[in-house]
Amino acid sequence: MSGWQQVESVDLVAENAGLVDGEPTAMVMIHHPDNLDPSHIDKVTLELMIDGFRKAKPIFAEAGVQLELAAVRTGSLDPSLFEITSTDDPHPMPRGRFVGMYRGIERHPHRLSSEAEAAFDAIIPDVPDVDRIVHLVVLQDVFMTFCEQFDFRTWEWKTISTGGLSFPGYMYGSTIPRHLRGVITITDLTKEMTSWKTIAHELGHKLMNVSHEYRDVAPQHEVRADGGLMLYGQGTEIPEGEAGRFHRERLHVSPFLYRTVDGQKQWNPDYSESGFYHDPIYDGISIELDPPELMEP
């Protein structure tokens, strides 16, 4: 397989025009394999990736965060890694019924699958601050498995194909290798009418470290509504304060943000513990969820 290199047709200087020193900034790299199967190519073209990044910029700018396009890279990937599962085989036990979602995941975190780790290791470059950079990685299929309660005594496992998956701290904590913790996979930017929002939405998971939630909408695996950025719909708001679930405040303390001061990058403090939703860096800007309502027999 050929080595990965910068796409020369992308003008990074032009893409980053207007970045202001001293402002909170997230550094983003795009990684686009050049040997994807012909039947998949149109689902995530390089043009769609660049367009999605550009559309994400004003969404985050509204919340006071700049997005820097640090690199756009291409190269060949072993076709056996075009399709991956996101985690190792899930533990055959549903999330605890007596704590909220985020506390339950802390007890039983997700773990990166071996094929996911192999794919990312083949793509992510060994560069300074690699663990602080957000990496948008194009693949063909990324499957995610999760459990939902069907009735009082029954749970069902679901496996879905994802258009984008952020491998967020609130699900993985420190189980994901540090140099890969900035990875986001993108597999389809043509899936539905709101696919234009996919990159911004996945950046939200990574940078705010929250699930699908918005104001009075509690976190769930999938929520379709026209609310804020973190719901499936056309909304793009990143709200603030307790009523907004502290999304903007969480964004601004993200370890993936830096400021340029005297020509040097100064990164936000890193996670104090493992990077779950309730990591100490989020003290005062986290919501303590009630346990889910128990279904009656």
Side-chain angles (χ1 to χ4, degrees), residues 12-276:
L12 295 178
V13 174
E15 294 292 340
N16 294 319
L19 292 181
V20 178
D21 284 355
E23 293 298 311
T25 306
M27 183 184 293
V28 179
M29 289 187 177
I30 294 174
H31 310 275
H32 193 281
D34 62 9
N35 61 326
L36 297 172
D37 291 326
S39 58
H40 178 269
I41 287 174
D42 289 342
K43 294 183 180 299
V44 194
T45 63
L46 187 54
E47 290 73 22
L48 283 171
M49 289 294 293
I50 298 293
D51 183 62
F53 173 81
R54 290 171 179 165
K55 287 177 177 173
K57 290 177 71 172
I59 294 173
F60 284 91
E62 179 68 22
V65 170
Q66 304 178 125
L67 299 182
E68 173 192 358
L69 188 58
V72 179
R73 302 171 66 248
T74 192
S76 295
L77 180 65
D78 184 335
S80 69
L81 301 175
F82 286 169
E83 299 89 14
I84 63 171
T85 57
S86 64
T87 62
D88 282 333
D89 291 338
H91 193 288
M93 179 176 66
R95 188 180 74 237
R97 291 184 289 169
F98 306 103
V99 292
M101 173 182 178
Y102 295 125
R103 292 296 187 188
I105 293 175
E106 286 178 22
R107 297 176 182 180
H108 301 285
H110 291 215
R111 295 182 182 276
L112 198 64
S113 70
S114 57
E115 66 266 24
E117 188 167 349
F120 303 154
D121 274 336
I123 294 172
I124 303 305
D126 182 10
V127 295
D129 300 318
V130 64
D131 58 327
R132 301 286 194 146
I133 299 169
V134 180
H135 299 275
L136 299 175
V137 173
V138 174
L139 295 176
Q140 292 192 172
D141 256 324
V142 176
F143 296 100
M144 176 183 175
T145 298
F146 58 91
C147 194
E148 289 189 343
Q149 190 171 9
F150 179 70
D151 60 29
F152 183 71
R153 299 195 314 144
T154 309
W155 282 257
E156 292 183 329
W157 287 102
K158 291 184 177 180
T159 297
I160 62 171
S161 64
T162 64
L165 191 62
S166 62
F167 299 85
Y170 71 82
M171 292 180 70
Y172 289 84
S174 60
T175 68
I176 193 167
R178 186 179 176 95
H179 68 291
L180 301 179
R181 68 179 186 172
V183 166
I184 293 172
T185 54
I186 304 293
T187 61
D188 193 345
L189 293 177
T190 64
K191 199 176 205 177
E192 48 195 343
M193 293 293 292
T194 55
S195 288
W196 61 271
K197 181 179 144 180
T198 300
I199 288 177
H201 176 87
E202 298 306 328
L203 285 170
H205 282 308
K206 185 71 76 179
L207 299 178
M208 289 183 265
N209 206 7
V210 300
S211 184
H212 299 108
E213 57 172 49
Y214 174 72
R215 296 191 180 274
D216 59 351
V217 179
Q220 301 174 49
H221 284 296
E222 296 178 301
V223 186
R224 296 187 180 276
D226 285 328
L229 179 63
M230 301 319 300
L231 301 185
Y232 292 158
Q234 297 193 30
T236 60
E237 183 192 11
I238 299 175
E240 59 188 336
E242 185 173 6
R245 307 186 74 86
F246 299 114
H247 283 188
R248 191 168 301 197
E249 291 86 349
R250 293 175 66 87
L251 169 64
H252 277 265
V253 299
S254 170
F256 293 98
L257 297 187
Y258 75 88
R259 291 169 174 79
T260 301
V261 179
D262 296 329
Q264 301 294 318
K265 287 185 175 67
Q266 294 186 0
W267 295 94
N268 276 354
D270 204 352
Y271 296 122
S272 295
E273 293 179 356
S274 55
F276 287 113

